[in-house]
Amino acid sequence: KAIKDNFDIYSKYITLAEKKGLPCVFHSITDGKSDPVEIIKLAEQHPKHPIILYHIDLASQPEQMARTIDNISNSVKAGKSNLFIDISWLTNLWDNAEQNKNTIKQALKKLGADRILFGSDTPITEMGNRDNYGKFADFVEDTVKEFYTDKPKEGEKALNKIFYDNAEELEEEAYINSCSTVNPEGIIPNEEVP
């Protein structure tokens, strides 16, 4: 069911994820069901909780993709949300290579590498093939390096964040946010706090 028609149910899902220390992920596509605009509104009801938009806005036209990235960026920069994007599948990969490259570069410019993940939400169609998935990972690497042409060390840091570090930090951040007390022995989860 559409997010906009079931806002309270999805909000409860995020509340449960907050309690359990789990980030939330949403398949995002402007289709009337999982519209990025609605996911952003939902995320703004849970401003500290990490929420990931798979595909940013799957298969959208460049102008729509740019608007979605701007909307995410504006929400994050205003402190209204803790949104992240996954770039593992944006459009038909090889037919739209230049569009995918531009989207990745725009995301780097507007959101920075700290908010981008390369995930695995694409074991279908052309990405269901291991070789194609590897080729797209190489494509992302080349695009990030091209974006940081004049700053290769920053490019390497960005790649580590996108492919590894951000996912690890998200998991840790969600867990810590689910805890209410820190004591000398460590973190005490909410359900164990007296």
Side-chain angles (χ1 to χ4, degrees), residues 3-188:
I3 291 171
K4 67 181 178 181
D5 299 330
N6 295 281
F7 206 81
D8 291 339
I9 292 170
Y10 284 102
S11 187
K12 288 177 184 176
Y13 158 73
I14 295 172
T15 298
L16 177 63
E18 286 173 320
K19 289 178 183 175
K20 298 294 182 182
L22 301 169
C24 292
V25 297
F26 286 89
H27 172 82
S28 59
I29 180 173
T30 302
D31 64 354
K33 294 183 180 179
S34 54
D35 294 334
V37 168
E38 297 301 323
I39 297 168
I40 293 167
K41 288 179 193 174
L42 190 58
E44 290 177 350
Q45 297 297 311
H46 304 269
K48 292 184 181 180
H49 195 70
I51 296 176
I52 305 160
L53 284 83
Y54 280 157
H55 324 298
I56 308 172
D57 192 347
L58 182 61
S60 64
Q61 294 299 312
E63 301 79 25
Q64 176 61 36
M65 185 70 82
R67 275 192 300 277
T68 298
I69 291 171
D70 284 343
N71 290 339
I72 294 166
S73 175
N74 293 338
S75 180
V76 168
K77 288 178 180 174
K80 294 179 179 180
S81 67
N82 192 14
L83 290 162
F84 295 81
I85 59 169
D86 169 85
I87 57 169
S88 58
W89 189 29
L90 304 171
T91 65
N92 291 332
L93 303 177
W94 314 123
D95 296 338
N96 298 302
E98 198 61 32
Q99 181 180 339
N100 286 329
K101 183 182 285 194
N102 291 338
T103 296
I104 293 166
K105 288 180 177 182
Q106 182 185 15
L108 285 164
K109 180 179 178 183
K110 295 281 186 163
L111 297 167
D114 292 337
R115 298 251 165 214
I116 303 172
L117 299 125
F118 183 85
S120 59
D121 184 44
T122 55
I124 57 174
T125 64
E126 61 199 317
M127 289 294 276
N129 174 297
R130 180 180 287 167
D131 291 336
N132 284 346
Y133 193 75
K135 287 177 187 174
F136 190 63
D138 292 342
F139 174 83
V140 169
E141 180 177 353
D142 293 343
T143 300
V144 171
K145 285 180 177 178
E146 185 177 306
F147 182 81
Y148 289 100
T149 299
D150 297 333
K151 301 174 185 174
K153 288 184 180 180
E154 279 188 45
E156 287 302 318
K157 286 180 186 177
L159 286 168
N160 281 327
K161 288 177 180 184
I162 292 167
F163 282 104
Y164 309 105
D165 298 343
N166 290 345
E168 288 179 9
E169 289 173 18
L170 263 175
E171 183 178 6
E172 183 178 308
E173 175 186 342
Y175 175 74
I176 289 172
N177 286 342
S178 75
C179 301
S180 61
T181 306
V182 177
N183 69 16
E185 286 82 44
I187 298 170
I188 302 172

